[in-house]
Amino acid sequence: MKTIEQYKYTATVYTYPNGRMAVHGNNIRGLILEVDSIDEMRSELLRLVPILLRDNHGLNDEETANAILVLSLQDAPAEDTDRVSRPACSDQTPALCWEDSPRLSLLVYA
């Protein structure tokens, strides 16, 4: 039987001067997300995290339902602030920047 600590995952939310946020899953393989608002971040994390936990970590539905995601908010490092200063996508959809599961297609996130 797994303990609660074995279902605990962390992600860092970097905030940029232009208001955008980038989420990096510290121990969730494949989680890197760029969004424009907290509401958008919450919505996309609720959608993406279960997929990544199942496909990249091998968790079943019950284990995924018991997973806890702890977010840490930080200002973006100064050397990275120019990377997110570009205008947001015209369709205003979140952008999945990277994923490392060979079983997942980028079309899943389109």
Side-chain angles (χ1 to χ4, degrees), residues 12-82:
T12 302
V13 179
Y14 295 101
T15 58
Y16 291 85
N18 68 352
R20 291 192 55 86
M21 292 173 275
V23 183
H24 178 266
N26 302 344
N27 60 350
I28 298 180
R29 287 189 306 273
L31 178 61
I32 297 180
L33 181 71
E34 188 178 312
V35 294
D36 288 315
S37 70
I38 289 176
D39 290 337
E40 186 178 36
M41 177 181 61
R42 183 179 187 277
S43 172
E44 287 305 303
L45 288 175
L46 287 171
R47 184 177 71 84
L48 290 174
V49 168
I51 294 168
L52 294 172
L53 291 178
R54 276 193 303 270
D55 292 346
N56 291 354
H57 293 268
L59 271 63
N60 62 35
D61 289 340
E62 182 180 343
E63 292 168 327
T64 300
N66 289 315
I68 297 169
L69 178 60
V70 178
L71 299 176
S72 170
L73 294 168
Q74 295 183 19
D75 288 334
E79 64 271 12
D80 288 347
T81 55
D82 62 336

